[in-house]
Amino acid sequence: LLPQDVANLLWAFAKLGLGETKRHKKLFHALAGAARKQMRRERKKGDGDDEEGDGDDGDENTQSETQVKTRGSTSQYSPQQLTMLVWAHGMLGHSDAAFLNACVTSVRERLRECNARDLTNLTWGFAALGVTAEQKPTLIARIARNARRQFGEFNSQELLKFLGAFQRIGGTDAKLTKLVSERKTVVYDFPALVSLAAAGDDISHKSVTLTSATPTSFRGTKKEKKRVDDSCGGSGRGNTGVALWEGSFVLAEWLSRQSDPEDPVGDISNSNTGANWGTGGWHGKTGVELGAGLGLPSIVASKLGVAMVATDGDEDVLELLAENVSRNAPTARVEKLVWGCDDPLAKLGLGRKPDLVLASDVVYGNDPEKWELLVKTMRDLSGPNTLIVVGNVQRYPINHPMAESRFFQTSTSRDFNRKEVPARSLHVDFQKTGGGGLGGARFS
């Protein structure tokens, strides 16, 4: 087997949770032994430098009598394949000291080639396997240095997952801490909005400039018991809305291309949800965004002509939300709204049910109690012609006990008609389906 084969098989074992039976464990350890031999062979071609020590690899067949034969001279593992090895062992909780030491040496030598996602999953895997900064100071220092170098490449979920894992392994780095504490400015372009701009104003109309921050650790504070997005490993980080999540961008970008909701070939007209929007396009319509975070979908909807109210329930988030909306969509309003509250229309100063309700990445794992509050607010804001569009990252496979799909398939089924936005209608970079993909759903 080649390194790619070994890495893929171990990854598949972990993804499918195949680590409990005697037969599965035997094969898993045989694959791990093959990987260890390949990494050791490659290391011997070089200097064999290991300032932290690999320890004794021991008898290559001590874990299992099963042997996996390897061939050829292409035994070097790519950074992604090394990540798959470490992640698989972390997921299944299989701790093999000899294998781990071999991985540490190989990873340390190739960290500069790792992208942000690899760095995140490596750090998470090492943390799951009990690696600490005290045991492997050089490795952890290099991880921190490379995280600083690639800081701008992390998406929000990766960054929180990385920071949570880095904290668990006891990592400290003053320069990284400073980067995390700083606010960031990001510009997003929506070319489809150019046609809606006034003459000579197309560049400013299509661009949205957002100020964002890194969610704060609530560990050791009065806020520690508040809900955090545990699905991304951000233990103790509660104000997740101060960062931009992928679902927000995907929803905003999709919306920017729906210039006419009555377009007979458009996604909205073909929703078959029964809503009757009449005529006039977006102008004259009112909209509310729930859990708006930095407000990107609200800003785009406002540029389309919708009278938007961007809402959130977190005071930290509301400060950034107000700043971003004021800069990019001065006609929109920002209001505090907590899901499940009584009479949300009155709290938002609306005299009638809005035509449009938006939400993105508001469903985290399987949390029926919070889903009930969200659905209540959706229901209280909706009339017979209200269109609700929700964009959400699918963090768990459909059959997983924590699958967010349960929210769309069961929690909302009694009160709303629903239709999925086809993946082909999303931004080209986010048309993946299944776990880790992004999806949208329309309700009415």
Side-chain angles (χ1 to χ4, degrees):
L1 295 175
L2 296 175
Q4 180 178 347
D5 302 323
V6 176
N8 285 338
L9 285 168
L10 287 172
W11 177 87
F13 263 73
K15 198 71 174 176
L16 297 172
L18 303 178
E20 298 302 320
T21 69
K22 184 176 180 179
R23 177 178 296 179
H24 288 153
K25 288 180 180 179
K26 187 176 181 180
L27 182 54
F28 187 92
H29 287 307
L31 289 166
R36 186 174 69 248
K37 287 175 61 177
Q38 290 168 326
M39 287 185 284
R40 188 174 63 178
R41 183 186 306 125
E42 185 64 30
R43 189 165 68 249
K44 286 181 178 179
K45 293 179 183 178
D47 296 331
D49 175 47
D50 184 7
E51 58 264 47
E52 287 168 2
D54 277 349
D56 181 12
D57 276 355
D59 182 355
E60 290 156 6
N61 297 320
T62 54
Q63 294 293 340
S64 171
E65 294 179 358
T66 302
Q67 298 184 37
V68 177
K69 294 184 178 181
T70 59
R71 57 184 169 82
S73 60
T74 55
S75 60
Q76 187 176 34
Y77 280 81
S78 71
Q80 185 179 29
Q81 290 161 359
L82 287 170
T83 300
M84 294 165 73
L85 298 180
V86 175
W87 180 86
H89 276 72
M91 279 294 290
L92 294 179
H94 287 308
S95 183
D96 178 337
F99 172 82
L100 181 59
N101 283 325
C103 282
V104 166
T105 300
S106 296
V107 166
R108 194 176 55 236
E109 293 169 351
R110 307 202 65 180
L111 270 174
R112 285 190 63 84
E113 301 172 56
C114 293
N115 60 33
R117 177 164 293 183
D118 293 336
L119 201 59
T120 295
N121 288 327
L122 278 170
T123 308
W124 183 92
F126 283 135
L129 292 171
V131 173
T132 68
E134 184 178 0
Q135 297 167 345
K136 304 290 183 184
T138 303
L139 172 69
I140 305 311
R142 291 186 183 181
I143 285 175
R145 186 162 61 245
N146 281 279
R148 297 197 311 264
R149 183 172 57 85
Q150 298 197 65
F151 193 77
E153 303 303 315
F154 287 94
N155 65 37
S156 295
Q157 181 168 331
E158 290 166 351
L159 182 57
L160 289 195
K161 184 176 179 179
F162 169 80
L163 291 173
F166 191 71
Q167 184 180 54
R168 290 194 295 278
I169 61 180
T172 58
D173 186 277
K175 292 180 180 179
L176 180 60
T177 299
K178 185 176 184 296
L179 279 175
V180 170
S181 68
E182 294 173 347
R183 288 190 174 184
K184 295 165 281 293
T185 300
V186 187
V187 178
Y188 293 92
D189 287 333
F190 298 94
L193 294 176
V194 172
S195 62
L196 305 176
D201 189 40
D202 57 340
I203 294 179
S204 63
H205 196 84
K206 76 170 185 177
S207 298
V208 175
T209 301
L210 296 179
T211 300
S212 67
T214 302
T216 306
S217 175
F218 286 171
R219 189 179 297 275
T221 72
K222 294 180 180 179
K223 296 181 179 181
E224 186 171 359
K225 292 184 179 180
K226 283 193 173 184
R227 182 199 62 77
V228 298
D229 184 4
D230 292 324
S231 65
C232 69
S235 178
R237 296 177 183 269
N239 55 345
T240 51
V242 300
L244 186 79
W245 296 79
E246 289 181 334
S248 181
F249 169 76
V250 173
L251 173 57
E253 194 280 332
W254 172 84
L255 189 64
S256 73
R257 290 181 280 110
Q258 313 303 313
S259 58
D260 182 0
E262 284 97 37
D263 183 348
V265 297
D267 286 332
I268 294 178
S269 291
N270 286 305
S271 63
N272 295 325
T273 53
N276 179 12
W277 274 44
T279 59
W282 292 109
H283 290 277
K285 301 294 190 294
T286 60
V288 173
E289 184 179 3
L290 302 175
L294 300 183
L296 189 58
S298 287
I299 291 167
V300 169
S302 180
K303 288 178 178 289
L304 288 170
V306 183
M308 286 298 302
V309 184
T311 74
D312 207 282
D314 189 307
E315 295 292 347
D316 296 341
V317 175
L318 286 166
E319 178 186 349
L320 279 178
L321 178 59
E323 178 182 333
N324 289 322
V325 168
S326 175
R327 176 194 293 141
N328 296 281
T331 61
R333 292 192 290 121
V334 172
E335 300 288 348
K336 182 175 182 177
L337 186 69
V338 177
W339 300 342
C341 69
D342 295 328
D343 200 358
L345 285 175
K347 291 184 183 300
L348 299 180
L350 295 176
R352 64 180 180 85
K353 301 289 180 76
D355 303 285
L356 178 68
V357 174
L358 301 174
S360 63
D361 267 339
V362 294
V363 180
Y364 305 105
N366 189 349
D367 195 339
E369 182 179 344
K370 292 182 176 62
W371 293 356
E372 183 178 343
L373 299 176
L374 173 58
V375 171
K376 178 182 184 303
T377 299
M378 290 168 58
R379 185 172 58 243
D380 290 346
L381 288 173
S382 301
N385 293 316
T386 298
L387 177 68
I388 303 174
V389 187
V390 179
N392 215 79
V393 173
Q394 183 181 332
R395 295 180 175 86
Y396 295 95
I398 291 177
N399 295 322
H400 194 283
M402 292 290 286
E404 299 91 351
S405 56
R406 295 168 186 249
F407 171 81
F408 298 98
Q409 295 170 353
T410 60
S411 294
T412 58
S413 60
R414 183 182 64 184
D415 300 296
F416 302 97
N417 298 317
R418 177 182 66 91
K419 185 170 182 179
E420 297 289 331
V421 175
R424 66 178 181 277
S425 294
L426 305 180
H427 187 281
V428 65
D429 292 341
F430 298 93
Q431 293 183 1
K432 172 185 175 182
T433 59
L438 276 140
R442 299 183 299 275
F443 300 86
S444 70

